[in-house]
Amino acid sequence: MLLDTALREDVTRRLARWPVQRAVHGEHRHAAVAVALCEEGTGAQLPGVAVPPSWSRSAALILTRRAATLGNHPGQWALPGGRVDAGESPQQAALRELAEEVGLLLPSDAVLGLLDDFVTRSGFVITPVVVWAGPARGLAANAAEVASIHRIPVAEFMRADAPLLEASEDPGRPVLRMPVGDGWIAAPTAAVLYQFREVCIAGRATRVAHFEQPLFARR
């Protein structure tokens, strides 16, 4: 799957038709994450994910491992993102966080649309913002927030064994994980990735608000 004009048009069209479900914030803090479509480049740099022989123009998503020194979810997988500041839209916050965390500056017209809000156990309402990042060369991790940056091919999220579901204490809320290489990513990030796969790539109407996070990701 190439990161080309046809893919951009498909994703934009599907998001335009998607009836986004917004969550009531209440006492939750509002955050936004960037689901950034980019070129695979030199690859994901992860065990079990093939390394391209040269710069790859296959479609990928930018993910990070959070710095071990962070107070919230240290060391966990994440999409670039953070709190929505006063006076900001989720779109503006996602673009700002991309610049702050991985050094990627994008214009406002890079935003393709929104996915559903996801309410986390740790007190956030997360708004996923899908953006077109293009080649995204020269990414640089902000060491205060990001331990590493990974360009994970979209094809990896289309695996037949994804998603991985297991029972939680609530029968109606299975724990969701997305396999990547020899490992996996947990909800809430996995829930956003799964809905991106379903809505933006597969064109399937799939909700994810009912999925649960594993215990370690709830703090």
Side-chain angles (χ1 to χ4, degrees):
M1 181 188 305
L2 289 178
L3 192 84
D4 57 14
T5 301
L7 178 61
R8 179 168 186 163
E9 291 175 350
D10 284 347
V11 172
T12 301
R13 182 180 66 256
R14 287 166 178 159
L15 287 170
R17 295 195 305 236
W18 180 243
V20 175
Q21 287 189 347
R22 305 302 300 270
V24 176
H25 295 175
E27 296 182 357
H28 287 73
R29 293 161 288 179
H30 191 193
V33 295
V35 186
L37 271 161
C38 69
E39 293 181 352
E40 182 187 12
T42 56
Q45 309 302 315
L46 292 172
V49 181
V51 178
S54 59
W55 185 273
S56 169
R57 293 188 58 242
S58 294
L61 295 179
I62 297 172
L63 278 94
T64 69
R65 296 302 293 259
R66 291 171 60 82
T69 53
L70 289 174
N72 292 321
H73 311 295
Q76 293 182 24
W77 280 106
L79 292 156
R83 189 174 301 187
V84 177
D85 290 339
E88 272 189 325
S89 67
Q91 294 89 331
Q92 290 169 330
L95 293 178
R96 174 178 54 77
E97 291 287 345
L98 267 176
E100 292 177 2
E101 291 189 12
V102 301
L104 181 60
L105 294 168
L106 295 175
S108 59
D109 62 4
V111 173
L112 304 185
L114 303 178
L115 293 169
D116 291 347
D117 286 350
F118 190 88
V119 181
T120 76
R121 290 278 195 159
S122 55
F124 285 92
V125 172
I126 298 174
T127 299
V129 182
V130 182
V131 302
W132 190 261
R137 294 178 181 268
L139 298 179
N142 177 346
E145 300 184 55
V146 174
S148 57
I149 302 171
H150 305 270
R151 300 167 178 261
I152 301 179
V154 170
E156 192 67 14
F157 303 117
M158 309 304 293
R159 287 167 45 166
D161 60 345
L164 304 172
L165 300 177
E166 62 185 61
S168 73
E169 64 274 19
D170 183 342
R173 293 177 59 85
V175 173
L176 181 142
R177 295 175 292 152
M178 289 292 282
V180 171
D182 296 338
W184 48 266
I185 297 171
T189 299
V192 175
L193 294 171
Y194 179 47
Q195 190 173 57
F196 168 82
R197 157 191 144 153
E198 293 291 286
V199 173
C200 296
I201 305 301
R204 293 188 286 256
T206 302
R207 303 291 183 183
V208 297
H210 62 289
F211 287 118
E212 185 57 275
Q213 303 165 234
L215 290 174
F216 75 84
R218 300 182 191 183
R219 296 186 293 273

